[in-house]
Amino acid sequence: MPSPDAATDEQDWMARRIEQAEQLHPGPDRDKARRALKSVGTLLGTFQNRGWATAAQLLQHFVEGSGTPVTVEPSYLANYGPVQDSGDTVVGYFRDWLLGARPDSQFGSPILSMRDGERIVIGGDASGPSEDLTERMHWDAAFRGVGDEVTSLKLGNIADWIGEQQASIGGGTTTGYGYLVLERRGDEIAVEGFIDFRITDRYDFATDNWNPGYHTLQHLGLAVPFDIATPLWRRTFRATVRLVNGRPVSVDHAISGTF
């Protein structure tokens, strides 16, 4: 997490924003900005009282206004249901690829034409994975936040709705970058490798569907959106693809390692 951009005293940066809001022309926007800044102060107090340090820092970063990217550790999201579900979805996409049901735009479906004894490496070479992530097979899965759920009238799991991770991240994207070694042995293909995961999100209030006041702050330049990303974390992936007449019919897979 970054340190506060311009001041370590919460009252200093909030005072600057309040002063800027007061300089707006009288009208609905100034009134909304006043109320929204009061709401920010109240919400920060609530986060701090609950011990939600990350949620508080992210909200403060939004209102301070530098727009610089923020790194959040993967472990912070380990128990956040939407993230767990999106990770499972990404793994499922790799499994579908091994079945030949989801061709990759870069690597195609080479498993469908592998010969007995053939060995191929996806996402690197025999020495290891490519450092350039664009050369790795990757799949994305989006997860939804409370703003999306309220807009669609689908609140989902209330525990996620009121948790700190929901207040911090909401919705975003989980991406898995694969490095896989495939070797055909008769009517089976053995797969060994790993998937490097990353979560990304844009902290903003681009529409007024969820919080019109914060949307107004952003629209007026009194708050600035920023990108959030986790470092990569690695999970081991192994699978056995069973073939009938050279075509994959089933996949047994296992993934190990956690956030």
Side-chain angles (χ1 to χ4, degrees), residues 14-119:
M14 181 62 81
R16 284 188 290 108
R17 281 295 185 235
I18 291 173
E19 181 180 355
Q20 290 170 334
E22 293 300 324
Q23 293 173 357
L24 297 171
H25 291 295
D29 280 349
R30 186 173 73 173
D31 293 340
K32 286 181 181 179
R34 284 170 168 172
R35 291 194 297 270
L37 288 171
K38 183 177 180 180
S39 169
V40 168
T42 300
L43 191 55
L44 283 173
T46 299
F47 288 167
Q48 290 162 356
N49 288 338
R50 292 186 179 184
W52 291 4
T54 298
Q57 289 173 323
L58 291 173
L59 178 57
Q60 179 173 333
H61 191 63
F62 174 66
V63 180
E64 282 178 327
S66 74
T68 55
V70 171
T71 298
V72 173
E73 290 303 316
S75 58
Y76 176 67
L77 299 168
N79 297 317
Y80 185 38
V83 165
Q84 294 174 330
D85 292 342
S86 64
D88 291 342
T89 298
V90 168
V91 173
Y93 290 158
F94 279 92
R95 180 182 180 279
D96 291 346
W97 177 78
L98 291 171
L99 274 172
R102 185 179 292 272
D104 178 78
S105 59
Q106 182 175 357
F107 298 98
S109 298
I111 195 170
L112 299 180
S113 59
M114 287 185 70
R115 301 181 301 276
D116 191 13
E118 185 177 2
R119 188 173 185 267

Side-chain angles (χ1 to χ4, degrees), residues 171-259:
T173 301
T174 299
T175 303
Y177 300 91
Y179 172 73
L180 303 175
V181 179
L182 288 66
E183 184 173 354
R184 179 168 176 178
R185 304 164 183 167
D187 288 331
E188 292 186 343
I189 297 175
V191 183
E192 292 193 4
F194 50 78
I195 302 173
D196 290 331
F197 290 88
R198 171 176 285 157
I199 296 166
T200 55
D201 181 35
R202 181 73 170 167
Y203 191 106
D204 69 0
F205 294 85
T207 70
D208 61 2
N209 291 334
W210 173 235
N211 192 315
Y214 291 6
H215 169 73
T216 297
L217 292 179
Q218 181 172 323
H219 175 70
L220 296 174
L222 297 176
V224 178
F226 56 92
D227 291 327
I228 300 173
T230 66
L232 294 173
W233 77 93
R234 180 165 295 179
R235 302 185 69 187
T236 300
F237 182 87
R238 292 185 175 86
T240 300
V241 183
R242 291 184 174 82
L243 308 173
V244 174
N245 297 323
R247 310 294 291 184
V249 295
S250 66
V251 177
D252 292 331
H253 75 280
I255 187 161
S256 58
T258 61
F259 288 84

Side-chain angles (χ1 to χ4, degrees), residues 80-83 85 142-158 160-162 166 170-172 207 209-210:
Y80 185 38
V83 165
D85 292 342
F143 55 93
R144 294 166 66 84
V146 67
D148 300 321
E149 298 302 325
V150 169
T151 301
S152 63
L153 301 180
K154 296 178 182 179
L155 291 178
N157 187 330
I158 193 65
D160 290 329
W161 192 82
I162 63 174
Q166 175 61 73
T207 70
N209 291 334
W210 173 235

